[in-house]
Amino acid sequence: MRNPLTNRLVVILVATISIVVTIFIVARVLFLQAKFDVEIEKSTNRVANRISDAINYSLNKDLNYVFKKELSAELIASILVSELNDPLLNGILIYSRFGDVQFGMVQLSEGEVRKYDPKLHVGILSTSNKKRKISIPNNSIPLSEVEILFNSKYHSQKLLELLYIEITQLIVLALLIMALVYLGIRISLLKPLESLDIASSTFKCIEEGIVYVDLENNIIDVNKAFLSITGYLHEDVVDKDCTFFKFGESIDEHIDQVNASLIDGRAWSGEGNVVNASGQRIPISLTITDVKNEEGALLCRVYIFKDISHLKAEEAQLKNLAYFDPLTQLPNRRYFEEHIESGIRQAGRTQSKFGVLYIDLDKFKFINDCYGHSAGDLLLVEMAKRFRSRLRESDLLCRLGGDEFTIIANNIDSGEELAVLAKDLIKLAKKPFQFDDHTCYVGASIGISVYPQDATEAGELIRNADSAMYTSKHKGRETFAFYSQDIHKRARAQQLLKLKLTHAISNKAFSLAYQPKVALKSGRVIGAEALIRWPTENGKIVAPSEFIPFAEEAGLIQDIGTWVAETACARAKTWLTSFDDQFELSINLSSKQLLKPEIISLLRTLLSSEGLKPNNIDLEITEGSVIKDFERTIDTLNEFKEMGLSISLDDFGTGYSSMSYLTKLPIDTLKIDRSFIHEIGRSAQSETIIATIIAMAKSLSLSTVAEGIETHSQLNFLLNNGCDIGQGYYFSRPLSDSEFDSYLFKMAS
């Protein structure tokens, strides 16, 4: 697209050349007309003289003409014909002294010369625009004038031909000159002007704000983008001191960086702020550069900036998502880990102490499962408010995830301060939590580690506080514990235990013991409970209570549970074949197994491969495993029931023992915990609980199993209250495979 300046230049050149050409053509026409007039005059005189000379010559040669006083027609005709060879002439007429045409010859359009006849050739006189009459200077003959008729058509044609040639040459020459002039102007003047025009348009239209500042720091000019971003008017800023750009608190440091960069001939780029008309600071990306002439002298300074408010807002939003918990608006794990690193550096410089408190809510899972995740979310938000209300401004509260919180308590003098803080936090956690029409109670277990006495690295401080928190849970929950070397030793022992347990799983170094289950009324053995044992290299047997909870926490229980189910089902097949096809084998399932879909496919496969009927397998679950994820557990148990498997609720009475969820469970049997059986004959309250459980089970059409029967009096009490099945040392201790075979044979005989 042509530049408007280029268009104007082309118009000026064309107009100038057109005027010059027009003037030249007019002048040339006048010149040619004058030239033709001169030529006609010359031709007239020349023709007249030649005619006169010819007549005089003829007269002198033939004296008879003189005496006759007239010219013969042949003589005059020959003279005139010789003259009419010139195409410029139309005819020659000779007049007598009396003014009439004595004789004449005309040239027709075809080039034919004829004697003049007034009747035939009157048109020649009218078409001849040029006529000349001359007197013949000879008184010896009766002639006075000769009139020469010029060909006007030939005259005009000749004139036009000359003009056409000259005008064509002139136009070509003018176009050539115009092109040369245009190129010269474009190279020397128009290119710089176009560059200036482009720069001016860019300055006006560019989205970035631009400010030109002179050597005195006064504003020379600003563009529209600057006015749009800042809200100033043009007259408010031009010729004013440029003080709009800010660089945060350390302005001197930034100015030094800018000047150092510009002195080296480089543009400075970075971020800053521009102050708008309302006094607000707008975040910008800014480039500052100096403009110099060819000699290197400074002309002005240019500020080019772009509003990055939206980018800063997006950056803040992303930072908030990356560093803050969206539910409680507390800093998250990432923020906590980075902050504790900086806290260690700060404490190292100031030789100060700080504490890390690791908080885990007690019974949170129960709230989440029984009342839904929305209730759990409300509880977390409430706990965040309670904990924050107790802390100082210098302390940091974070949510790591789930029901875990951490606190960094800065600038502490002693561990007593942390103990007081932990106690207060536990009290706050124990306060009733109300939502909708429900009132719930939870607690908190807290572990504490101190910098620098417990650790000097962030990861170790966190791990130590976490270990101390688990110690507080083992102590009975709703308490706190400081990290100590004993905890460290226990943590190391757990690491060693995990290593050994992993090795045992790989080598299948476990064994199963089977404790008989006896129908109390008939005394008949109806089945057994499979109990895992872990024999070590030194011959010691590790009890399930020592490694099963750890295996659940370490994520190893799935492999152990699979081995137990496969081994027990294979052994049950032998007893079904040899003794009783109604034999029922009880297999314990952990909460982790209940939440894994693989348990369904595993049991289906074992029933099919071992040829077992569903009523030969009884699955034992605990109250705690049900509560951990109530809804998902119910779904799994329903699938077990669809397969025809029997389900027993183990250790009933020691956990929640709520009728509201008991009625929702698709179970067949309640197992009364051994702690109650042990108190028969000692505690009336325990006996009442046992009787109540048995009665409740009967009302729900559930059978009951009493664990840990050791005496005859215990057996009688259970029989009198209608308990169905019993197991314990009164009948038999847990037996190995071969021992159980012998036991069954003995009982059968």
Side-chain angles (χ1 to χ4, degrees), residues 468-477 479-482 490:
M469 183 271 293
Y470 276 105
T471 299
S472 68
K473 280 190 174 294
H474 293 317
K475 288 166 59 177
R477 302 177 184 270
T479 185
F480 67 92
F482 281 91
R490 281 197 295 272

Side-chain angles (χ1 to χ4, degrees), residues 211 217 226 230 232 241-258 268-288 303-306 308 312:
V211 181
N217 202 45
F226 173 89
T230 62
Y232 286 104
D241 189 22
C242 182
T243 59
F244 304 107
F245 300 103
K246 305 296 180 183
F247 301 96
E249 299 300 329
S250 56
I251 185 169
D252 294 335
E253 181 181 347
H254 280 280
I255 290 176
D256 292 341
Q257 292 178 1
V258 172
W268 180 88
S269 297
E271 292 186 0
N273 296 278
V274 63
V275 181
N276 65 11
S278 302
Q280 298 175 328
R281 292 193 175 196
I282 301 173
I284 58 172
S285 62
L286 176 65
T287 298
I288 305 175
Y303 294 80
I304 303 173
F305 66 93
K306 186 175 183 179
I308 57 173
K312 288 295 183 181

Side-chain angles (χ1 to χ4, degrees), residues 537-670:
E537 294 177 357
N538 58 10
K540 180 184 176 182
I541 301 296
V542 182
S545 59
E546 294 183 29
F547 70 88
I548 290 298
F550 178 77
E552 289 182 330
E553 292 178 8
L556 303 174
I557 195 63
Q558 191 72 20
D559 293 333
I560 295 175
T562 299
W563 179 85
V564 169
E566 291 175 345
T567 305
C569 288
R571 192 60 187 169
K573 180 180 180 180
T574 302
W575 294 325
L576 288 172
T577 305
S578 303
F579 297 99
D580 187 355
D581 62 359
Q582 297 300 313
F583 187 88
E584 183 181 74
L585 181 64
S586 296
I587 300 173
N588 290 279
L589 297 181
S590 74
S591 59
K592 301 290 185 181
Q593 287 179 283
L594 288 173
L595 298 177
K596 295 286 186 178
E598 291 84 354
I599 189 63
I600 304 295
S601 58
L602 173 64
L603 292 173
R604 290 185 190 277
T605 301
L606 291 176
L607 289 175
S608 175
S609 62
E610 302 297 341
L612 302 176
K613 296 178 181 179
N615 64 341
N616 295 137
I617 300 297
D618 175 58
L619 303 176
E620 293 193 10
I621 60 174
T622 64
E623 289 184 86
S625 65
V626 173
I627 294 303
K628 285 185 177 180
D629 197 329
F630 192 76
E631 297 299 330
R632 290 175 62 188
T633 302
I634 290 293
D635 292 339
T636 303
L637 295 181
N638 284 327
E639 290 197 57
F640 289 158
K641 293 301 294 181
E642 290 177 4
M643 293 169 60
L645 300 173
S646 176
I647 302 173
S648 297
L649 186 61
D650 199 6
D651 301 334
F652 187 76
T654 60
Y656 302 96
S657 304
S658 170
M659 284 290 292
S660 62
Y661 81 81
L662 188 60
T663 56
K664 299 177 183 178
L665 294 176
I667 59 176
D668 303 284
T669 304
L670 288 181

Side-chain angles (χ1 to χ4, degrees), residues 58-72 140-142:
S58 299
L59 291 175
N60 292 331
K61 185 178 180 181
D62 192 350
L63 296 178
N64 292 327
Y65 288 107
V66 177
F67 295 115
K68 292 180 180 179
K69 302 295 181 182
E70 60 183 2
L71 292 173
S72 65
S140 60
I141 58 175

Side-chain angles (χ1 to χ4, degrees), residues 32 145 158 221 226 269 485 523 590 692 731-732 746:
L32 291 176
E145 291 180 320
K158 196 68 174 177
D221 199 4
F226 173 89
S269 297
Q485 285 301 316
S590 74
T692 303
F731 302 107
S732 174
K746 176 182 177 182

Side-chain angles (χ1 to χ4, degrees), residues 16-27:
T16 302
I17 296 298
S18 299
I19 293 172
V20 171
V21 170
T22 302
I23 293 173
F24 178 83
I25 291 173
V26 172

